[in-house]
Amino acid sequence: MAGATADEREILVDLAVRQSPPLLHRPQEMASLPIPKELLPNIFVRLPEPADLIRASATCVSFRRLVADRSFLRQYRKLHPPPLLGFIEIKGDFHRASPPYPSASAALAADFSFSFLPAPTGEWLVLDIRDGRVLLYRSYLRIPGTAFKLKEMVVCDPLHRQYLLLPTIPDGVFGSAGKWHTFLLHHGDGGDEEAAEETAFKVIWMARLGDKLVALVFSSTTGQWQAGPSHSWINAFDGLSRSQYVYGCFYWVTDCRQKLLVLDTQRMEFSTTDAPPEAKCDGDANIAIVEAGEGRLGMFVLSCGSDLSYIIRRDNAGSSGQW
C-alpha cells in the first residue's frame, strides 16, 4: 500500500515531537521516511488527548476518514476513557472539574443548566447520569378524572447540547404503577458491545404492577419501549434505595436492610441476595456498593455513630455468595 504523503508525514512528525521525548534525529530527517498507511491507526490511537486527534483529522480527507471510522473510535475510546466533567448531587447541583484538572476546559463547555432542552427548562428534573448522558423528566401532570401522568422524559448530552425525547410510557401501564425507578444504561452493557452504536443507550423504567416488580426497557436504537424482566413483589421493595451500578448489575438496598435487589443487565433478570450483617444492624446507616477488584463486590457501611466498615463478598458480583 502506498505510504502517507509528505504533508501527512510532516503532521505526524509534529505530533510525535510534541508527545515524545527529544529525538536523536531532526524532524526534517524523519519527515522523509515513508509511513505506511496501515500504521496510521496505530499512531493515532496513541495520541493522549482528543484535541490532538481532532487537529489531525482536520488536516486532510484521508486522516478525517480514518478518525471518523467507527471501529477506530471504538478502539480509541477503550484506550482513552472520557474526561470527568464533574458530578451532580442528588438535588441537582452540578460541581464542575476545575484547574488544574485536565478536563476543566471541557467542563466549562458543558451546559448543565440544560438551556438547550425544550422550554420551560426549569421544569426538568434529573433522574440519572451515566457516561456523559443525563436522564431528566418533567413533573407530573394531574389530568381531571385520571391518575397521575408522567409528562416527558429526555436523555441529553450536556457537552454537545444534544437531546432525545423519549416516547411516553403507555397510560395503562403508568397509571396502574406504584412507586417507580428510572435509570440509564449504556447500550453495550446489556448486549453485544461490538455491535452496538457508540452513541446508543437504554433507559430502564421499573415499578410495581399488582403482585410483581416489572421493568420496561427503552432502546435508542429502536426508539421504542419493550417489556423487560419481572420479579415477584415483596414488601421490602417498598423502600428501595437509590440504584448503584457495579460490574454490569444494578443494586438497591431494601428498606429493611435484610436484602439487596439485583438487576443483572447482561441477563436482564431480577434477583435478591442477603445483605451483610453490618448493613442489617443499623437501619439508618449509609451504604455504598463498589467494585472490589477481581470481580468481587464490596460494600462501605457508615453507621450513625460514624463507624466505617468495609466488607467484601467472596465470589463474583451477582446474587449469590457470602460476605
Side-chain angles (χ1 to χ4, degrees):
M1 181 179 291
T5 65
D7 290 341
E8 292 172 348
R9 292 198 297 270
E10 183 177 351
I11 295 164
L12 292 173
V13 169
D14 175 66
L15 291 170
V17 169
R18 290 191 292 111
Q19 303 295 341
S20 305
L23 302 171
L24 295 177
H25 301 285
R26 292 176 300 173
Q28 292 82 356
E29 295 175 354
M30 291 191 62
S32 64
L33 298 175
I35 301 176
K37 287 192 175 182
E38 57 264 26
L39 294 182
L40 294 180
N42 293 330
I43 296 173
F44 285 168
V45 80
R46 286 167 173 78
L47 293 176
E49 297 295 333
D52 288 326
L53 197 62
I54 294 172
R55 293 189 191 99
S57 67
T59 57
C60 62
V61 174
S62 60
F63 283 9
R64 182 163 60 253
R65 186 181 301 114
L66 188 156
V67 171
D69 183 76
R70 290 179 178 175
S71 62
F72 172 81
L73 289 174
R74 187 178 296 116
Q75 183 182 9
Y76 188 87
R77 287 164 180 159
K78 286 181 179 179
L79 292 177
H80 306 277
L84 177 67
L85 301 181
F87 65 92
I88 295 182
E89 297 183 46
I90 294 177
K91 62 181 180 180
D93 293 339
F94 178 68
H95 300 268
R96 300 177 188 271
S98 58
Y101 202 80
S103 60
S105 59
L108 287 174
D111 182 3
F112 281 93
S113 67
F114 308 112
S115 62
F116 56 94
L117 294 182
T121 57
E123 290 185 355
W124 293 105
L125 301 174
V126 175
L127 279 172
D128 196 15
I129 307 165
R130 196 169 311 281
D131 297 330
R133 301 183 186 93
V134 183
L135 171 65
L136 305 98
Y137 77 108
R138 289 189 197 258
S139 58
Y140 294 120
L141 288 179
R142 170 67 80 174
I143 300 177
T146 65
F148 281 111
K149 181 181 180 181
L150 185 64
K151 185 177 182 181
E152 286 175 309
M153 283 194 288
V154 65
V155 174
C156 72
D157 178 349
L159 183 58
H160 299 95
R161 293 172 168 80
Q162 299 175 336
Y163 68 88
L164 175 67
L165 281 171
L166 275 57
T168 56
I169 295 173
D171 291 345
V173 176
F174 190 86
S176 58
K179 186 176 181 180
W180 51 273
H181 298 256
T182 313
F183 41 93
L184 272 167
L185 179 67
H186 186 273
H187 204 295
D189 293 342
D192 185 0
E193 184 175 0
E194 294 299 322
E197 293 283 347
E198 288 296 319
T199 57
F201 62 87
K202 293 179 180 178
V203 176
I204 301 178
W205 178 86
M206 71 176 202
R208 178 182 180 179
L209 289 178
D211 59 352
K212 287 186 176 296
L213 178 69
V214 300
L216 297 180
V217 181
F218 171 82
S219 169
S220 63
T221 302
T222 64
Q224 297 178 344
W225 290 98
Q226 294 182 335
S230 63
H231 190 282
S232 299
W233 180 264
I234 60 175
N235 291 334
F237 293 166
D238 280 326
L240 294 178
S241 67
R242 193 176 183 86
S243 64
Q244 303 187 51
Y245 187 67
V246 180
Y247 290 129
C249 295
F250 283 98
Y251 290 85
W252 293 266
V253 182
T254 58
D255 193 39
C256 65
R257 301 300 175 100
Q258 301 295 313
K259 295 284 186 179
L260 302 178
L261 174 65
V262 185
L263 172 58
D264 187 323
T265 61
Q266 295 294 329
R267 300 187 182 93
M268 275 298 170
E269 293 178 354
F270 282 116
S271 60
T272 58
T273 184
D274 290 332
E278 291 83 353
K280 299 177 182 178
C281 294
D282 189 347
D284 295 322
N286 292 309
I287 294 175
I289 302 171
V290 298
E291 296 180 357
E294 299 178 354
R296 297 176 301 171
L297 198 67
M299 180 183 289
F300 286 98
V301 180
L302 180 62
S303 68
C304 290
S306 299
D307 294 327
L308 180 63
S309 303
Y310 180 55
I311 314 103
I312 297 177
R313 197 160 62 182
R314 296 174 185 173
D315 67 341
N316 294 337
S319 61
S320 63
Q322 295 182 346
W323 296 92

